[in-house]
Amino acid sequence: MTVTDEPAAVVVGPAVGDPAAVTRAQVEDFLYAEAELLDAWDLDTWITLYTDDCHYVVPCNDTPDGDPSRDLVLIDDNALRLRSRIERLGSRKAHREYPHSTTSHQVTNVRLRPVEGSGPGAELPVVAEFTVWRFRGERSTTYVGRYQYRLRVVDGRLRIASKRATLAMGSLRQVHDVAIIL
Amino acid sequence: MTATFDPTRQLAPSGPLVDEDREHHRFRVHRSTMTSPEIHALEMERVFARSWLYVGHESEIRDPGDYVRRPVGGKQIFMVRNKRGEVRVFHNTCTHRGAMVCRKDQGNAKVFQCFYHAWSFDTDGRLVGVPDRDAYGDGLDFGALGLRPVARTESYRGFVFLSYDPGIVDLVEYLAGATEYLDLVVDATGDAEIIRGTNEYAIEANWKLLAENSIDGYHAVPTHDTYFKYLVALGTDLSGGVAGTAKSLGNGHAVLEYSAPWGRPVAKWEPLFGEDSRDEIGRLRADLVAKHGEERARRMCDTNRNMLIYPNLVINDIMAITVRTFMPTSADRMEVTAWEMAPRDELPQLRQRRLDSFLTFLGPGGFATPDDIEALESCQQGFHSGGLEWNDISRGMAREPLANDEEQMRTFWRQWNEQITGGAR
């Protein structure tokens, strides 16, 4: 976990220039770094991977195309609410995650889509598959689904403008809730 | 039920499961009600097969042929709007050899065709297609081989219920005092709809723990500390606190009605909603006053309601409206399904506020519901730690019950006890 020992905002993710020149390997390194931070529960560093206008959305299982402005979703966080979520998860009174689960975020099938826009607002859409294992007490649960990221280059580093985690499971019956960050 | 020896299992007492002593203000429930497979089996027969159970909301099947499929009371059923616009609810099984004829959770269909031998049924359940019908000669009465409707289906102001008991009282009589509160929700909401997106989760705990939890004001502060901190961070002033009453509505139904610090999209403004929605909320409120008079409108706008419709429907009319139902799959596990209800023609910024409120407080990815799940599972594990036999539900028995007392739970348990011990339907 050397990543978490250093000044995060400077270090996390590869140095990149033009978003159109970003390679899949660089994106993979970046997503793996995010997974590592989540599994280390280093959420204060993790949030630095996100832009100030970011969104993190998890749609309902039965509405994978859910629009958070109109439809009910499971999670619809902007940067403010994401920080509140982090604060909550750091509290002893987040009973569902106190003590924290042990998690393993596994990211695969990373695919880069054509860059959209240009200049500082240019966004690189990335699609990946995920499996997130969550272990707490004697119980293990597994979240499976697809990430849809929109990445930007901010100060020469990849940053997440939005992350949408669409669950492949038909419902949450097997995993009970989404008390962790996917 | 089970032959294996479980040393931590709560054996039923020889006396009553629900023990009430009004003189000494004591009410207790035996923990075997939460852990015993035998009691779970009895509940399926005596509670779920003999009550009115929530199926869904009419707005989910707006047009002829629209259907939703879901288990209700442990049975596979589907609800469909027929060509005349009526709501029908059928057992989801082909009359020929049993396969399910409705195979998607929702959609629109003119006929439901069994894929196994291709018998097909219309939206009234009539058998309208049998391949090679000639093979049957005159032996079969095809008119009698339509889909089997559930014994009773009735709707109250858009909420559709079924009962597997043909002899049950009519729905309105069953709902008793709950109709007044359903009316408040519906009248305040106007053209209400269940919006897209379903919360379907599970809790490794007895279903009655969620019945209790859904109308339990006492747990809010200790359990949901992180949610209230979040509200404060957003600028909500919690200093006013929660004040109100708990009330039995008859037949096991109960409600909490209270004022609370948070805003309500219909129609109590708070700074969190933003200045741009202030006028709209004022307009909604004025409309309600014009339609329903000052006093009723004030109740609709300013007070919150958490209602349990016995045995397993919860309607929370709070900072958002939740419609939640839950079913035991064993003594130790339940499956929860929750929807969000909203006015159909709501302004986008109010809809956004309502959605935010729902998913942060009431949703399984939010800042509160996961902690409820944890609390219920912790109780269930606690029951299995043995040593103690009874839960105490006496709070507030010595006074007019407040919203954070337990009269509403006692109401539920009295009805449950009556059904389980073979009393009234």
Side-chain angles (χ1 to χ4, degrees), chain B residues 341-355:
Chain B
M341 176 172 276
R344 211 176 165 197
D345 54 357
E346 193 165 41
L347 272 195
Q349 65 261 39
L350 289 184
R351 174 62 67 91
Q352 187 68 66
R353 179 51 44 206
R354 183 189 295 280
L355 288 164

Side-chain angles (χ1 to χ4, degrees), chain B residues 13-313:
Chain B
S14 48
L17 295 167
V18 175
D19 177 25
E20 178 164 17
D21 179 350
R22 286 186 193 244
E23 190 189 342
H24 296 100
H25 308 126
R26 194 191 67 187
F27 191 104
R28 52 183 201 164
V29 172
H30 198 264
R31 290 182 174 181
S32 63
T33 59
M34 306 285 198
T35 57
S36 154
E38 290 84 356
I39 289 175
H40 168 68
L42 270 183
E43 282 175 341
M44 296 312 294
E45 286 169 28
R46 297 185 182 177
V47 176
F48 290 99
R50 294 187 194 172
S51 296
W52 281 103
L53 304 176
Y54 181 67
V55 180
H57 192 262
E58 288 186 23
S59 64
E60 296 178 79
I61 49 166
R62 218 170 263 286
D63 299 317
D66 283 357
Y67 65 86
V68 293
R69 167 185 96 145
R70 53 188 57 139
V72 174
K75 299 183 199 299
Q76 297 295 333
I77 58 95
F78 67 102
M79 166 171 92
V80 59
R81 197 174 282 279
N82 72 12
K83 279 187 229 160
R84 294 182 304 285
E86 299 154 343
V87 174
R88 305 293 312 268
V89 181
F90 297 104
H91 292 275
N92 190 4
T93 178
C94 183
T95 52
H96 176 219
R97 297 270 284 282
M100 296 212 287
V101 296
C102 180
R103 298 184 70 222
K104 283 167 58 186
D105 287 335
Q106 56 182 305
N108 182 281
K110 285 191 175 62
V111 292
F112 295 88
Q113 186 179 63
C114 175
F115 74 93
Y116 193 14
H117 301 93
W119 284 30
S120 50
F121 304 87
D122 68 11
T123 53
D124 268 313
R126 281 188 297 257
L127 178 60
V128 292
V130 177
D132 304 323
R133 193 182 279 248
D134 297 347
Y136 289 95
D138 295 330
L140 277 187
D141 175 6
F142 288 104
L145 285 170
L147 292 176
R148 181 60 50 89
V150 297
R152 300 283 299 274
T153 303
E154 281 186 43
S155 177
Y156 185 79
R157 304 212 61 185
F159 296 90
V160 181
F161 293 76
L162 67 71
S163 181
Y164 299 116
D165 178 359
I168 196 167
V169 298
D170 289 348
L171 179 62
V172 168
E173 187 182 340
Y174 177 87
L175 290 173
T179 57
E180 177 191 345
Y181 291 84
L182 283 170
D183 289 346
L184 277 173
V185 176
V186 174
D187 288 341
T189 311
D191 187 2
E193 66 172 353
I194 295 289
I195 65 178
R196 292 179 78 229
T198 312
N199 290 172
E200 295 171 280
Y201 52 104
I203 306 177
E204 306 291 327
N206 188 274
W207 67 280
K208 297 186 289 301
L209 289 171
L210 187 55
E212 291 184 345
N213 170 270
S214 300
I215 47 172
D216 178 5
Y218 192 30
H219 82 289
V221 170
T223 305
H224 299 312
D225 178 78
T226 67
Y227 176 73
F228 294 120
K229 280 210 168 66
Y230 160 74
L231 283 189
V232 168
L234 290 180
T236 300
D237 176 7
L238 294 180
S239 61
V242 166
T245 54
K247 198 168 147 186
S248 165
L249 300 172
N251 294 337
H253 320 311
V255 70
L256 306 184
E257 192 166 22
Y258 55 97
S259 61
W262 50 76
R264 296 168 46 79
V266 178
K268 181 179 165 229
W269 186 85
E270 69 160 335
L272 190 56
F273 287 10
E275 282 301 323
D276 53 344
S277 60
R278 197 166 194 153
D279 289 350
E280 173 68 8
I281 293 225
R283 193 185 63 72
L284 286 171
R285 194 182 181 106
D287 281 356
L288 290 173
V289 170
K291 267 188 216 148
H292 302 288
E294 187 71 46
E295 196 189 327
R296 189 152 189 262
R298 192 169 45 75
R299 203 169 156 204
M300 288 170 173
C301 299
D302 291 343
T303 62
N304 298 271
R305 279 156 290 280
N306 292 45
M307 178 162 54
L308 173 72
I309 294 180
Y310 183 90
N312 67 336
L313 172 65

Side-chain angles (χ1 to χ4, degrees), chain A residues 115-168:
Chain A
V115 170
E116 294 173 16
S118 59
E123 290 187 346
L124 172 63
V126 172
V127 183
E129 303 302 304
F130 68 82
T131 305
V132 178
W133 290 87
R134 177 190 187 193
F135 302 93
R136 185 161 179 257
E138 292 297 305
R139 186 188 290 167
S140 99
T141 49
T142 316
Y143 300 80
V144 178
R146 173 170 297 180
Y147 288 141
Q148 289 164 287
Y149 284 98
R150 295 183 73 84
L151 305 180
R152 272 190 231 144
V153 176
V154 180
D155 298 333
R157 301 279 169 181
L158 287 171
R159 287 295 172 258
I160 299 164
S162 77
K163 173 180 180 176
R164 186 178 169 103
T166 305
L167 295 165

Side-chain angles (χ1 to χ4, degrees), chain A residues 60-77 80-89 91-99 134 136 139 170-179, chain B residues 71 106 195-204 222-227 229-230 233-234 333 335-340 348 351-353 355-356 358-360 363-368 370-371 373-374 377 381:
Chain A
C60 287
N61 302 70
D62 69 337
T63 319
D65 62 341
D67 171 358
S69 73
R70 194 184 57 223
D71 305 321
L72 180 61
V73 296
L74 293 168
I75 291 174
D76 173 26
D77 287 356
L80 178 70
R81 197 178 295 155
L82 212 42
R83 289 198 185 91
S84 295
R85 188 176 293 279
I86 291 169
E87 190 183 338
R88 164 181 152 77
L89 287 169
S91 161
R92 293 178 67 245
K93 294 187 172 178
H95 308 289
R96 189 57 165 174
E97 277 298 323
Y98 182 81
R134 177 190 187 193
R136 185 161 179 257
R139 186 188 290 167
S171 75
L172 297 176
R173 306 266 196 236
Q174 299 304 315
V175 296
H176 306 92
D177 59 34
V178 200
Chain B
Q106 56 182 305
I195 65 178
R196 292 179 78 229
T198 312
N199 290 172
E200 295 171 280
Y201 52 104
I203 306 177
E204 306 291 327
T223 305
H224 299 312
D225 178 78
T226 67
Y227 176 73
K229 280 210 168 66
Y230 160 74
L234 290 180
R333 179 183 163 89
E335 295 189 342
V336 186
T337 307
W339 298 270
E340 179 167 15
R351 174 62 67 91
Q352 187 68 66
R353 179 51 44 206
L355 288 164
D356 286 352
F358 192 103
L359 64 91
T360 54
F367 292 15
D371 296 330
I373 297 173
E374 181 72 7
E377 293 188 350
Q381 290 158 20

